């Protein structure tokens, strides 16, 4: 008799609300048939980027954006620095701003802190990844003057004789941020910190750890360039050695499921639900034939 195989989709996998909102805005705008450009890829997932391209979404970089005229452009959930909002009218650019509200609030708070820090010779310090789109938007709120720290080594960039306002990129690891808060707090008596990590991401770690340990095999679906996907997959791997990273259903290998009775499927905050469903269908077909 064929063994029954349980296939479960992680209920917390898939787009966070910020990405869902941005992609929905893009799809709604494309419905009128006019060309729409996104400034940078809407999500760190090549399969979803290709799907959006197939319905008419073009992707441009900042250099192309600066030269663009008479066009409609969407800003993605990560947000943009103030320079991206300049001269839009002169170039007849219609802007669809899909910046996540959580990122918008953080940008506003950093701008306010920067203005205060200027009055007292203080510094705005941001924990984030160099070159990440959201971080570029955050540093832009400080005229490029915020100090970016990626790890403990970068702490040497901070002048501890001056006041400090400390923020984090929304997708950073909470424990690493709190470790930096502790170190900076010990070195400075004029130190304020703000926990600005998005709970849509942070809460997924503990949940995913449980989910990955409850199944014999884990299939994690994500874009290979997505930092969020990398972090979440590492969590799966740390509790379940039989965790496999795939970009789409064609990466699946049948022998991963031999003799297995429980399979869990999860994905990053940039992985669309339809892709996770496709993966589940493919696994269903494979185990039915085993
Ligand atoms: S992870 Fe959080 S801050 Fe980032 S886009 Fe999603 S909801 Fe917004």
């Amino acid at each position: 008799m064929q063994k029954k195989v349980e296939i479960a989709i992680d209920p917390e996998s898939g787009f966070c609300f910020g990405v869902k909102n941005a992609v929905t805005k893009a799809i709604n705008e494309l419905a009128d048939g006019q060309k729409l450009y996104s400034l940078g890829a809407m999500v760190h997932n090549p399969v979803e980027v290709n799907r959006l391209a197939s319905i008419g979404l073009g992707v441009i970089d900042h250099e192309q954006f600066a030269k663009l005229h008479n066009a409609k452009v969407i800003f993605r959930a990560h947000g943009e620095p103030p320079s991206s909002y300049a001269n839009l009218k002169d170039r007849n650019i219609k802007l669809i701003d899909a910046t996540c509200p959580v990122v918008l609030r953080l940008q506003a708070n950093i701008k306010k802190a920067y203005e205060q820090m200027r009055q007292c010779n203080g510094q705005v310090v941001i924990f984030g990844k160099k070159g990440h789109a959201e971080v570029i938007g955050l540093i832009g709120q400080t005229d490029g003057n915020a100090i970016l720290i990626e790890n403990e080594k970068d702490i040497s960039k901070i002048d501890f004789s001056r006041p400090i306002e400390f923020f984090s990129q929304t997708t950073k690891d909470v424990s690493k941020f709190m470790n930096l808060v502790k170190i900076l707090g010990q070195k400075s008596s004029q130190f304020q910190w703000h926990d600005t990590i998005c709970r849509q991401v942070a809460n997924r770690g503990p949940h995913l750890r449980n989910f990955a340990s409850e199944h014999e095999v884990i299939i994690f679906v994500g874009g290979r360039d997505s930092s969020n996907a990398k972090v979440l997959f590492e969590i799966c791997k740390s509790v379940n050695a039989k965790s496999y990273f795939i970009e789409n259903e064609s990466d699946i290998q049948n022998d991963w499921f031999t003799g297995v009775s429980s399979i869990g499927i999860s994905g990053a905050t940039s992985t669309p639900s339809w892709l996770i469903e496709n993966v589940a269908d493919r696994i269903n077909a494979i185990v039915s034939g085993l």
Side-chain angles (χ1 to χ4, degrees), residues 75-198:
F75 286 177
R76 57 197 173 166
H78 296 105
E80 284 294 322
S83 55
S84 297
Y85 292 84
N87 307 323
L88 296 183
K89 265 196 188 143
D90 302 345
R91 293 187 283 131
N92 194 26
I93 302 284
K94 182 179 178 207
L95 175 64
I96 314 299
D97 193 349
T99 305
C100 173
V102 177
V103 176
L104 277 179
R105 202 176 319 126
L106 174 55
Q107 288 183 343
N109 287 340
I110 287 181
K111 190 176 166 59
K112 193 168 147 210
Y114 176 60
E115 277 153 16
Q116 286 165 353
M117 288 295 95
R118 273 170 36 151
Q119 309 299 315
C120 61
N121 192 31
Q123 308 147 93
V124 170
V125 179
I126 299 171
F127 173 44
K129 187 174 170 208
K130 193 174 177 195
H132 189 284
E134 180 192 321
V135 170
I136 293 169
L138 300 180
I139 294 178
Q141 308 306 315
T142 66
D143 301 327
N145 289 318
I147 297 168
L148 177 66
I149 60 171
E150 295 193 271
N151 48 45
E152 275 186 49
K153 255 191 359 222
D154 290 343
I155 288 175
S156 59
K157 296 180 190 169
I158 304 169
D159 178 350
F160 287 98
S161 68
R162 293 160 53 202
I164 300 163
E165 290 273 347
F166 186 42
F167 296 86
S168 175
Q169 178 186 341
T170 58
T171 46
K172 295 303 278 181
D173 181 83
V174 178
S175 58
K176 287 185 184 153
F177 176 68
M178 291 314 294
N179 182 43
L180 290 168
V181 166
K182 194 169 146 209
I183 297 170
L184 301 194
Q186 281 164 353
K187 285 177 167 283
S188 169
S189 56
Q190 308 169 81
F191 170 60
Q192 300 264 14
W193 60 278
H194 310 265
D195 179 355
T196 50
I197 293 172
C198 175

Side-chain angles (χ1 to χ4, degrees), residues 5-38:
V5 182
E6 183 210 348
I7 301 171
I9 293 179
D10 177 0
E12 297 203 7
S13 60
F15 285 169
C16 61
F17 79 80
V19 172
K20 200 184 285 176
N21 176 47
V23 171
T24 305
K25 272 191 180 170
I27 291 169
N28 290 346
E29 286 298 325
L30 286 164
D32 68 6
Q34 260 189 58
K35 186 73 190 165
L36 176 67
Y37 296 97
S38 83

Side-chain angles (χ1 to χ4, degrees), residues 17 48 54 58-59 61 81 84 103 116 134 156 164 188 194 200-201 214 225 234 255-257 259 268 273 290:
F17 79 80
E48 179 68 350
S54 74
V59 180
D61 60 23
S84 297
V103 176
Q116 286 165 353
E134 180 192 321
S156 59
I164 300 163
S188 169
H194 310 265
Q200 288 265 317
V201 172
E214 283 165 0
D225 291 338
E234 282 312 312
D255 61 359
W256 291 343
F257 311 117
S273 305
L290 282 178

